[in-house]
Amino acid sequence: MMSNSVKNLKTGSPSGRIVKALSGYYYVLPDGADPHGATVQCRARGVFKKKGINPLVGDEVLYSLTENGEGTVEEILPRSSELIRPPVSNVDLAILVFSVTEPTLNLQLLDKFLVHIEHAGIEPLLCLSKRDLEAEGDETEEARKATEDVRRIYGAIGYEVYGTSSRRGEGVEALHERLRGHIAVFAGQSGVGKSSLLNAIVPGLALETNEISNRLGRGKHTTRHVELIEVGGAYVADTPGFSQLDFTELGIEDLGYCFKEMRELAPSCKFRACTHVHEPGCAVLAAVEDGGVAESRHRHYVQFLTEMKEKKRRY
Ligand code: GDP
Ligand code: ZN
């Protein structure tokens, strides 16, 4: 991490946030400026490249102005988080979107996403989308049960659960309100309604949804630049975000830490390096036994652990 150099602060370099990156340019919104006002088009100082540092959208920076009205990014202030996909820094809230049906709610996938969000040090928030389908009774018995499970299991762990219908505009305002003061990304499987939700929250955004891209007969996952959109005191990354995840960046020893309720119980395990699989005196296993930890959560934890061990063996 880079230090917030006193020298630079003394020179009084203006500060701002990179809200967009495109073709080697960084667009910096000056601190205190109208969030919908002009940005300063900046190049990064050559030294960043030499050091292998990439300025990211979301970075708080110090910059200097050049004669032509453009600027130079002089320094990147310490980041609170860093995502690789989408490439955004300082995100502090991830809205994990799952539809009540179409596609069917998959708790294993939900846990997988949660692991990654926890690993990135970002606060997750669960959002059950397409509530109108639930209300209309369009969903299967299986989906209804999964919806109940989400509220029961994840609410008990301490995760906030929101419900929305972009189609009817329900729950969108409450979610928007929750974003205030944060830099947020939307994550979730393709087709759960992330783009629709973003479009509902950000007026005029007009993100392409599946419906439109299918009609045009092209894939939805065209690479596009990331941009932070200011909306009512919050920033959201205008990208449908991560929809595919794997465990390559996650160490096996980190997994237990990424399950919030297990992380909280781990200090009570008899062994310090307890993996919560078969050890005697394991507080997590005891909690699974008496219902304090959901069986599905522990099962997925063991599945991910096995998956990671097998992957490691193959290399
Ligand atoms: P993404 O891949 O997660 O960005 O999902 P999209 O926003 O592209 O939506 C996928 C499909 O679900 C599209 O056909 C949308 O019209 C539909 N959809 C999105 N939100 C809702 C909703 O609230 N209710 C219903 N019934 N359908 C929705
Ligand atoms: Zn244990």
Side-chain angles (χ1 to χ4, degrees):
M1 253 191 204
M2 276 151 289
S3 70
N4 181 347
S5 128
V6 174
K7 189 172 129 268
N8 253 320
L9 287 178
K10 273 192 182 151
T11 60
S13 300
S15 57
R17 187 184 299 280
I18 300 178
V19 292
K20 180 174 145 183
L22 193 63
S23 317
Y25 276 110
Y26 301 96
Y27 296 84
V28 176
L29 180 73
D31 282 341
D34 169 6
H36 304 284
T39 53
V40 181
Q41 179 173 318
C42 294
R43 290 278 188 196
R45 256 175 65 194
V47 65
F48 288 132
K49 200 162 203 171
K50 264 182 240 148
K51 287 186 182 164
I53 298 166
N54 252 333
L56 288 175
V57 168
D59 276 341
E60 288 183 284
V61 300
L62 300 177
Y63 64 97
S64 59
L65 288 168
T66 50
E67 307 91 73
N68 56 3
E70 295 191 356
T72 307
V73 173
E74 299 285 349
E75 191 173 340
I76 302 169
L77 302 187
R79 296 166 176 160
S80 69
S81 71
E82 205 177 304
L83 291 177
I84 296 162
R85 245 182 344 163
V88 194
S89 70
N90 296 320
V91 169
D92 58 359
L93 200 59
I95 323 306
L96 185 43
V97 185
F98 273 79
S99 47
V100 298
T101 183
E102 296 176 28
T104 305
L105 212 153
N106 175 337
L107 290 184
Q108 193 205 28
L109 199 58
L110 196 157
D111 284 335
K112 206 172 229 189
F113 273 102
L114 275 176
V115 161
H116 281 265
I117 293 168
E118 291 281 358
H119 183 58
I122 296 169
E123 187 183 359
L125 193 152
L126 302 186
C127 176
L128 284 164
S129 61
K130 308 193 189 179
R131 287 290 311 281
D132 53 290
L133 296 181
E134 182 179 33
E136 285 160 12
D138 273 4
E139 64 175 15
T140 60
E141 201 44 51
E142 187 193 3
R144 197 184 314 278
K145 186 179 171 304
T147 308
E148 275 168 27
D149 283 350
V150 167
R151 295 191 190 284
R152 186 173 45 83
I153 298 172
Y154 298 89
I157 295 169
Y159 290 127
E160 291 168 73
V161 182
Y162 282 74
T164 55
S165 164
S166 304
R167 187 150 292 175
R168 291 191 183 164
E170 282 167 12
V172 174
E173 202 41 55
L175 183 62
H176 184 175
E177 196 53 44
R178 179 63 179 80
L179 303 184
R180 201 175 288 278
H182 294 281
I183 300 183
V185 291
F186 285 68
Q189 205 178 345
S190 187
V192 294
K194 296 182 297 297
S195 308
S196 305
L197 201 50
L198 268 170
N199 284 338
I201 289 174
V202 186
L205 181 61
L207 265 189
E208 209 178 84
T209 65
N210 260 334
E211 231 154 36
I212 301 166
S213 53
N214 286 345
R215 201 182 308 142
L216 295 175
R218 59 190 158 89
K220 193 176 154 49
H221 298 287
T222 45
T223 38
R224 54 198 315 273
H225 68 274
V226 184
E227 193 170 340
L228 287 183
I229 309 287
E230 205 274 351
V231 33
Y235 276 114
V236 291
D238 80 328
T239 158
F242 23 179
S243 55
Q244 279 162 344
L245 300 166
D246 56 49
F247 286 133
T248 44
E249 306 144 37
L250 187 70
I252 289 175
E253 61 289 349
D254 297 329
L255 189 64
Y257 190 83
C258 298
F259 281 76
K260 187 171 148 72
E261 72 279 43
M262 299 190 197
R263 168 168 81 221
E264 286 160 7
L265 284 168
S268 307
C269 292
K270 186 173 172 191
F271 300 108
R272 204 157 50 89
C274 187
T275 64
H276 324 307
V277 177
H278 47 60
E279 291 88 342
C282 171
V284 172
L285 288 174
V288 173
E289 207 50 45
D290 70 22
V293 166
E295 187 272 329
S296 66
R297 289 275 289 169
H298 186 257
R299 179 162 30 91
H300 297 153
Y301 164 77
V302 174
Q303 282 166 358
F304 298 161
L305 202 62
T306 310
E307 208 174 288
M308 289 167 81
K309 281 182 184 158
E310 270 165 12
K311 210 175 218 173
K312 203 174 167 190
R313 212 171 299 137
R314 261 183 274 135
Y315 291 129

